[in-house]
Every structure is written in C-alpha cells, then in structure tokens.
Amino acid sequence: MGLGLSSCLLLLLLLGVSGDLGSQGTPPEGTWEEEGELWSRARFEAVKKHLGAVGALSKQYWQYLACKVWQEGCEEEEEENKEEEESHRRSGWSLPLVGQDYLELFSAWYCSFGKCCKTGDCQIINNITGLEADLNRQLHGQHLAKEVIVHAVQEFLQNPRPDKALVLSFHGWSGTGKNFVARMLASHLYQDGLKSKCVRLFISLFHFPHHKYMDSYKAQLKKQISETVQLCKQSLFIFDEAEKLHFSLLDAIKPFMARYDNKDQADYRRSIFLFLSNLGGNIINEVALDFWRAGRVREEISMEFLEQQLRAELQEPAENSYARSHLLEENLVDVFVPFLPLEYHHVKLCARDAFLARGLPYTEEALHEVARLMVFVPKEEKLFSAQGCKSVSQRINYFLP
Ligand SMILES: *[C@@H]1O[C@H](CO)[C@@H](O)[C@H](O)[C@H]1NC(C)=O
C-alpha cells in the first residue's frame, strides 16, 4: 500500500476512533479504489453530522466551504445569506472545533474526495502551455499578473535545483481574479486540482479564526506542511485571506520558504506558496486610475513601477501582518503580483465566460445588463467595478430566458 493511500486511511482511522464518526468502519483494503468514492461520501456525511452535532453548524457554513474550496454550491447563498454570514463573522462564527484534530479533520475530508494515489506525486501534470492558454482566454484585464505568473512558475518548474520554494504574493481588490488564478494553477499543475493531496488551501478566518489558539494553529500548520512535502514531490500551498493571517503564523512557516540550509529535513524547495490578499489593493487602484487620468492605456503600467509601489505600501507598519512578520525583510516573497481593478468591458467579458461555461447563448445586451448591475467607483469616473467580477456568474441567472 502506497504512502498516499496509507496516510489517507490512517487519518480516517484516527478520525474514526477518536471522533467515533459514523458506523461504516474501514473498507477492506482491496476495495478501497472501487468503493472509495461511495464510502468517502458516507464518511463525509458522518463528519458533517458529527460537527453539526458538536457545534450546530449551519447549512450555509458547509456551503460556504464547498463554494470557497471547489466553487460548488455557490449559487444558492451569496445574496440572501449575506446578513447571516456577517453575523456569523461578528460572533466568531467559524468552527467551534479547536484543538489537535482540527486540521486533521480537514485533511481527512479533502483526502476522502481526492483519489489517494500510490506515491502522492503521480498526479502532477504541470501543464504550463494549458495554464498560459487558459489565462489568456479567461483572465481579463490582468496583463501583469498573467505574464509574471506564467514566467515565474515556468522558470521554477524548469529549474532542476531551485534554492528555495517559489513564493508568490497576489494583491488586489476582491473579484479581480486572485482566487481564480490560484484555482487555475492548482488544476494545471495537478490532475485533481484543488482536490489533490499535494495541494493545501488555508483560509484565514476559517482555519485560524481565534487568536488565542494561535500556538495550536502554528503546530498544526507546520505539521500539515511538512507532511504534504514528504508525500509529494511538488506541493502547492494556498493561503487565502492572507491579510487576516496572524503574523506569528507567517513567521512560523518562514523556514519552509527560506533558502535551503537544513539537510536533515525534508526538501521544501519544490513547493509553491501562494498568498492571496487585498493588501495594497488601494495603491494598485490609484496607479491604474492615474494612468487612466493621464490618458494612458493600462497595458502601459509596468511591473517595475507597480511592484515598487506595492512593496513600499506593504512595509507600512499599519495593522498589516505582512509588515509585522519578517517575510518582507528576509526577501522570502519572490514576486508581488498585482491584480488591477476591472473596468466595465472586463466585467462584460466575465459575463460572457459565465454564459459560455454553462453552454448558454447570450446577447450583447445581456452582457451589458450584467455589467450594469455592478457598482463602479470612484464616484466621479465610475471606472472600476468595486467587486470586480465577483459573483458575475451567479448574476447571469437573472438574464436567463
Ligand atoms: C493542458 O491544458 C489545456 C487547457 O486547459 C488542455 O486542453 C490540455 O488537454 C492539457 N494537457 C494535458 C496534457 O493535460
């Protein structure tokens, strides 16, 4: 039995014993592959029920997660549940479950959906051509992000001996494509995309909600990262809402991103770390607005110029975990990737993609209608969509025949 499969089973076993989750038991080894899917669905239901019993988790909560992680089941919530979600947030709505098996539970959960493969690396596909093509086709208004990401990732993967992990920090307003690109990277580097065992997604408010448990989170996070790296030749770690990541967590994972000098440890140099945040979003938007006011096209905005501004902004010692951690001082971030604010015609392109993705016909008028639903700022110019392309794909529902 391969390492991937066994650790997967082990996690589930641990869970089964410690949490007494469900009564299905462990399937006989030989039938894992065939029955795995069904069984893991059942196990998932059991985990869900268990958690539900512990903390009275709402349906919305699971939808939120499924939506965040897999972009599944997003349609129903969004609008109606904004208020509830907000009140959850205020009351520290995140999982009531803390303690040791918190992240384990989630790896088991991920694990139960992904196919456990024998070596843990057989699902690596590294389809850079496909990545580039899909970014060109589906990422709108981001000439800088597109170029630097493909370049950085390609160079990193081609290097037989990188001296450190690749660390990319995505910055920009919400809805500008940071999540979209992270998902796209996952799906072009791994057969199973975000569901791969070599890909770990951490969402600050979800995985690390309470400051008082920071020590426990730190230990769990480090354990997760080293276990993943031991299992996979190449790992991808995504930190969503990185602006809300406690600086001590950032400091805790620094050694995984640092230049390699530790010979008795697993090799972290083949890992990719993505940090997604809205930090610096305002400065990026100011630059874009200045260019527009000066009558210059946004494609003239250069990486050198913007990255410099962005770096300066991130070092501002405001309530900003980047500045408080030592991530910047130690030059651990390889590229700061700016995501520009989106204009009206970009939103229309997102709407078009949403229609195409569902195989639905669309008219130019429908695209206008969708774009018109968004709020544009600043007040005078009404140039940039305040929510980028966020929830555009849900909004097309209103215009279906
Ligand atoms: C690479 O990605 C492209 C675009 O998504 C896809 O059409 C192609 O089949 C992929 N190739 C491999 C080998 O997975």
Side-chain angles (χ1 to χ4, degrees), residues 125 127-131 133-134 137 188 191:
I125 50 174
N127 182 357
I128 297 293
T129 334
L131 173 68
D134 283 353
R137 211 169 27 228
H188 284 91
Q191 184 74 50

